[in-house]
PDB file of all heavy atoms in Angstrom:
ATOM      1  N   LYS A 249       3.592 -52.440   5.108  1.00  0.00           N
ATOM      2  CA  LYS A 249       4.051 -53.264   3.978  1.00  0.00           C
ATOM      3  C   LYS A 249       3.048 -53.255   2.840  1.00  0.00           C
ATOM      4  O   LYS A 249       3.404 -53.467   1.688  1.00  0.00           O
ATOM      5  CB  LYS A 249       4.257 -54.705   4.448  1.00  0.00           C
ATOM      6  CG  LYS A 249       5.479 -54.871   5.322  1.00  0.00           C
ATOM      7  CD  LYS A 249       5.672 -56.330   5.714  1.00  0.00           C
ATOM      8  CE  LYS A 249       6.502 -56.425   6.967  1.00  0.00           C
ATOM      9  NZ  LYS A 249       6.185 -57.597   7.778  1.00  0.00           N
ATOM     10  N   ASN A 250       1.768 -53.033   3.194  1.00  0.00           N
ATOM     11  CA  ASN A 250       0.734 -53.160   2.161  1.00  0.00           C
ATOM     12  C   ASN A 250       0.167 -51.845   1.654  1.00  0.00           C
ATOM     13  O   ASN A 250      -0.777 -51.843   0.889  1.00  0.00           O
ATOM     14  CB  ASN A 250      -0.433 -54.007   2.704  1.00  0.00           C
ATOM     15  CG  ASN A 250       0.066 -55.291   3.325  1.00  0.00           C
ATOM     16  OD1 ASN A 250       0.962 -55.945   2.739  1.00  0.00           O
ATOM     17  ND2 ASN A 250      -0.443 -55.647   4.478  1.00  0.00           N
ATOM     18  N   VAL A 251       0.694 -50.752   2.147  1.00  0.00           N
ATOM     19  CA  VAL A 251       0.128 -49.466   1.696  1.00  0.00           C
ATOM     20  C   VAL A 251       1.060 -48.797   0.690  1.00  0.00           C
ATOM     21  O   VAL A 251       2.234 -49.152   0.566  1.00  0.00           O
ATOM     22  CB  VAL A 251      -0.112 -48.495   2.867  1.00  0.00           C
ATOM     23  CG1 VAL A 251      -1.106 -49.068   3.866  1.00  0.00           C
ATOM     24  CG2 VAL A 251       1.204 -48.125   3.536  1.00  0.00           C
ATOM     25  N   THR A 252       0.495 -47.834  -0.045  1.00  0.00           N
ATOM     26  CA  THR A 252       1.305 -47.049  -0.948  1.00  0.00           C
ATOM     27  C   THR A 252       1.601 -45.715  -0.257  1.00  0.00           C
ATOM     28  O   THR A 252       0.692 -45.091   0.301  1.00  0.00           O
ATOM     29  CB  THR A 252       0.516 -46.721  -2.234  1.00  0.00           C
ATOM     30  OG1 THR A 252      -0.121 -47.923  -2.664  1.00  0.00           O
ATOM     31  CG2 THR A 252       1.407 -46.167  -3.305  1.00  0.00           C
ATOM     32  N   PHE A 253       2.834 -45.324  -0.250  1.00  0.00           N
ATOM     33  CA  PHE A 253       3.182 -44.055   0.359  1.00  0.00           C
ATOM     34  C   PHE A 253       3.112 -42.919  -0.683  1.00  0.00           C
ATOM     35  O   PHE A 253       3.521 -43.105  -1.835  1.00  0.00           O
ATOM     36  CB  PHE A 253       4.592 -44.102   0.940  1.00  0.00           C
ATOM     37  CG  PHE A 253       4.651 -44.916   2.201  1.00  0.00           C
ATOM     38  CD1 PHE A 253       5.146 -46.207   2.190  1.00  0.00           C
ATOM     39  CD2 PHE A 253       4.206 -44.358   3.384  1.00  0.00           C
ATOM     40  CE1 PHE A 253       5.192 -46.965   3.347  1.00  0.00           C
ATOM     41  CE2 PHE A 253       4.244 -45.115   4.569  1.00  0.00           C
ATOM     42  CZ  PHE A 253       4.736 -46.410   4.545  1.00  0.00           C
ATOM     43  N   SER A 254       2.573 -41.798  -0.235  1.00  0.00           N
ATOM     44  CA  SER A 254       2.557 -40.610  -1.096  1.00  0.00           C
ATOM     45  C   SER A 254       3.982 -40.206  -1.433  1.00  0.00           C
ATOM     46  O   SER A 254       4.859 -40.294  -0.566  1.00  0.00           O
ATOM     47  CB  SER A 254       1.915 -39.435  -0.366  1.00  0.00           C
ATOM     48  OG  SER A 254       0.601 -39.296  -0.733  1.00  0.00           O
ATOM     49  N   ARG A 255       4.174 -39.777  -2.662  1.00  0.00           N
ATOM     50  CA  ARG A 255       5.529 -39.304  -3.016  1.00  0.00           C
ATOM     51  C   ARG A 255       5.633 -37.813  -2.763  1.00  0.00           C
ATOM     52  O   ARG A 255       4.653 -37.094  -2.836  1.00  0.00           O
ATOM     53  CB  ARG A 255       5.823 -39.613  -4.476  1.00  0.00           C
ATOM     54  CG  ARG A 255       5.857 -41.095  -4.741  1.00  0.00           C
ATOM     55  CD  ARG A 255       6.343 -41.449  -6.115  1.00  0.00           C
ATOM     56  NE  ARG A 255       6.539 -40.310  -6.997  1.00  0.00           N
ATOM     57  CZ  ARG A 255       7.081 -40.416  -8.205  1.00  0.00           C
ATOM     58  NH1 ARG A 255       7.485 -41.592  -8.632  1.00  0.00           N
ATOM     59  NH2 ARG A 255       7.219 -39.377  -8.957  1.00  0.00           N
ATOM     60  N   TYR A 256       6.791 -37.385  -2.454  1.00  0.00           N
ATOM     61  CA  TYR A 256       7.014 -35.950  -2.270  1.00  0.00           C
ATOM     62  C   TYR A 256       7.296 -35.315  -3.609  1.00  0.00           C
ATOM     63  O   TYR A 256       8.038 -35.868  -4.410  1.00  0.00           O
ATOM     64  CB  TYR A 256       8.222 -35.706  -1.357  1.00  0.00           C
ATOM     65  CG  TYR A 256       7.920 -35.842   0.090  1.00  0.00           C
ATOM     66  CD1 TYR A 256       8.480 -36.867   0.834  1.00  0.00           C
ATOM     67  CD2 TYR A 256       7.062 -34.942   0.727  1.00  0.00           C
ATOM     68  CE1 TYR A 256       8.186 -37.008   2.171  1.00  0.00           C
ATOM     69  CE2 TYR A 256       6.787 -35.060   2.085  1.00  0.00           C
ATOM     70  CZ  TYR A 256       7.335 -36.097   2.795  1.00  0.00           C
ATOM     71  OH  TYR A 256       7.075 -36.219   4.116  1.00  0.00           O
ATOM     72  N   ASP A 257       6.698 -34.147  -3.835  1.00  0.00           N
ATOM     73  CA  ASP A 257       7.058 -33.382  -5.007  1.00  0.00           C
ATOM     74  C   ASP A 257       7.917 -32.218  -4.515  1.00  0.00           C
ATOM     75  O   ASP A 257       7.408 -31.198  -4.058  1.00  0.00           O
ATOM     76  CB  ASP A 257       5.799 -32.856  -5.699  1.00  0.00           C
ATOM     77  CG  ASP A 257       6.134 -32.059  -6.934  1.00  0.00           C
ATOM     78  OD1 ASP A 257       7.330 -31.908  -7.251  1.00  0.00           O
ATOM     79  OD2 ASP A 257       5.194 -31.569  -7.593  1.00  0.00           O
ATOM     80  N   VAL A 258       9.209 -32.422  -4.629  1.00  0.00           N
ATOM     81  CA  VAL A 258      10.081 -31.383  -4.077  1.00  0.00           C
ATOM     82  C   VAL A 258      10.139 -30.125  -4.952  1.00  0.00           C
ATOM     83  O   VAL A 258      10.652 -29.093  -4.540  1.00  0.00           O
ATOM     84  CB  VAL A 258      11.526 -31.898  -3.850  1.00  0.00           C
ATOM     85  CG1 VAL A 258      11.555 -32.878  -2.692  1.00  0.00           C
ATOM     86  CG2 VAL A 258      12.084 -32.530  -5.126  1.00  0.00           C
ATOM     87  N   ALA A 259       9.550 -30.235  -6.156  1.00  0.00           N
ATOM     88  CA  ALA A 259       9.557 -29.057  -7.038  1.00  0.00           C
ATOM     89  C   ALA A 259       8.247 -28.305  -6.951  1.00  0.00           C
ATOM     90  O   ALA A 259       8.044 -27.327  -7.673  1.00  0.00           O
ATOM     91  CB  ALA A 259       9.838 -29.488  -8.468  1.00  0.00           C
ATOM     92  N   ALA A 260       7.322 -28.720  -6.104  1.00  0.00           N
ATOM     93  CA  ALA A 260       6.021 -28.061  -6.032  1.00  0.00           C
ATOM     94  C   ALA A 260       6.178 -26.614  -5.587  1.00  0.00           C
ATOM     95  O   ALA A 260       6.989 -26.319  -4.737  1.00  0.00           O
ATOM     96  CB  ALA A 260       5.120 -28.814  -5.064  1.00  0.00           C
ATOM     97  N   PRO A 261       5.400 -25.724  -6.203  1.00  0.00           N
ATOM     98  CA  PRO A 261       5.480 -24.337  -5.781  1.00  0.00           C
ATOM     99  C   PRO A 261       4.945 -24.166  -4.360  1.00  0.00           C
ATOM    100  O   PRO A 261       4.007 -24.849  -3.984  1.00  0.00           O
ATOM    101  CB  PRO A 261       4.591 -23.580  -6.782  1.00  0.00           C
ATOM    102  CG  PRO A 261       3.735 -24.603  -7.406  1.00  0.00           C
ATOM    103  CD  PRO A 261       4.406 -25.928  -7.266  1.00  0.00           C
ATOM    104  N   VAL A 262       5.569 -23.310  -3.608  1.00  0.00           N
ATOM    105  CA  VAL A 262       5.094 -23.070  -2.235  1.00  0.00           C
ATOM    106  C   VAL A 262       4.798 -21.590  -2.037  1.00  0.00           C
ATOM    107  O   VAL A 262       5.222 -20.767  -2.836  1.00  0.00           O
ATOM    108  CB  VAL A 262       6.165 -23.510  -1.192  1.00  0.00           C
ATOM    109  CG1 VAL A 262       6.314 -24.999  -1.174  1.00  0.00           C
ATOM    110  CG2 VAL A 262       7.485 -22.809  -1.471  1.00  0.00           C
ATOM    111  N   GLU A 263       4.074 -21.321  -1.008  1.00  0.00           N
ATOM    112  CA  GLU A 263       3.814 -19.923  -0.639  1.00  0.00           C
ATOM    113  C   GLU A 263       5.150 -19.254  -0.370  1.00  0.00           C
ATOM    114  O   GLU A 263       5.986 -19.807   0.349  1.00  0.00           O
ATOM    115  CB  GLU A 263       3.032 -19.882   0.656  1.00  0.00           C
ATOM    116  CG  GLU A 263       1.598 -20.343   0.550  1.00  0.00           C
ATOM    117  CD  GLU A 263       0.674 -19.177   0.323  1.00  0.00           C
ATOM    118  OE1 GLU A 263       0.868 -18.133   0.968  1.00  0.00           O
ATOM    119  OE2 GLU A 263      -0.218 -19.301  -0.514  1.00  0.00           O
ATOM    120  N   PRO A 264       5.339 -18.032  -0.910  1.00  0.00           N
ATOM    121  CA  PRO A 264       6.594 -17.355  -0.550  1.00  0.00           C
ATOM    122  C   PRO A 264       6.634 -17.047   0.938  1.00  0.00           C
ATOM    123  O   PRO A 264       5.614 -16.774   1.561  1.00  0.00           O
ATOM    124  CB  PRO A 264       6.539 -16.055  -1.367  1.00  0.00           C
ATOM    125  CG  PRO A 264       5.136 -15.910  -1.827  1.00  0.00           C
ATOM    126  CD  PRO A 264       4.495 -17.253  -1.766  1.00  0.00           C
ATOM    127  N   LEU A 265       7.790 -17.138   1.503  1.00  0.00           N
ATOM    128  CA  LEU A 265       7.969 -16.934   2.925  1.00  0.00           C
ATOM    129  C   LEU A 265       8.654 -15.577   3.112  1.00  0.00           C
ATOM    130  O   LEU A 265       9.700 -15.330   2.512  1.00  0.00           O
ATOM    131  CB  LEU A 265       8.846 -18.070   3.491  1.00  0.00           C
ATOM    132  CG  LEU A 265       8.920 -18.166   4.993  1.00  0.00           C
ATOM    133  CD1 LEU A 265       7.611 -18.722   5.528  1.00  0.00           C
ATOM    134  CD2 LEU A 265      10.074 -19.082   5.366  1.00  0.00           C
ATOM    135  N   PHE A 266       8.076 -14.705   3.927  1.00  0.00           N
ATOM    136  CA  PHE A 266       8.681 -13.397   4.112  1.00  0.00           C
ATOM    137  C   PHE A 266       9.319 -13.323   5.488  1.00  0.00           C
ATOM    138  O   PHE A 266       8.634 -13.273   6.488  1.00  0.00           O
ATOM    139  CB  PHE A 266       7.665 -12.298   3.911  1.00  0.00           C
ATOM    140  CG  PHE A 266       7.076 -12.300   2.535  1.00  0.00           C
ATOM    141  CD1 PHE A 266       5.773 -12.739   2.330  1.00  0.00           C
ATOM    142  CD2 PHE A 266       7.826 -11.886   1.451  1.00  0.00           C
ATOM    143  CE1 PHE A 266       5.239 -12.770   1.055  1.00  0.00           C
ATOM    144  CE2 PHE A 266       7.295 -11.914   0.172  1.00  0.00           C
ATOM    145  CZ  PHE A 266       6.009 -12.365  -0.023  1.00  0.00           C
ATOM    146  N   ALA A 267      10.601 -13.378   5.482  1.00  0.00           N
ATOM    147  CA  ALA A 267      11.302 -13.308   6.757  1.00  0.00           C
ATOM    148  C   ALA A 267      11.337 -11.847   7.212  1.00  0.00           C
ATOM    149  O   ALA A 267      11.157 -10.932   6.418  1.00  0.00           O
ATOM    150  CB  ALA A 267      12.727 -13.817   6.565  1.00  0.00           C
TER     151      ALA A 267
END
Side-chain angles (χ1 to χ4, degrees):
K249 288 182 202 150
N250 310 317
V251 299
T252 315
F253 287 101
S254 261
R255 295 188 354 173
Y256 280 113
D257 181 0
V258 289
V262 291
E263 289 266 318
L265 192 73
F266 300 106

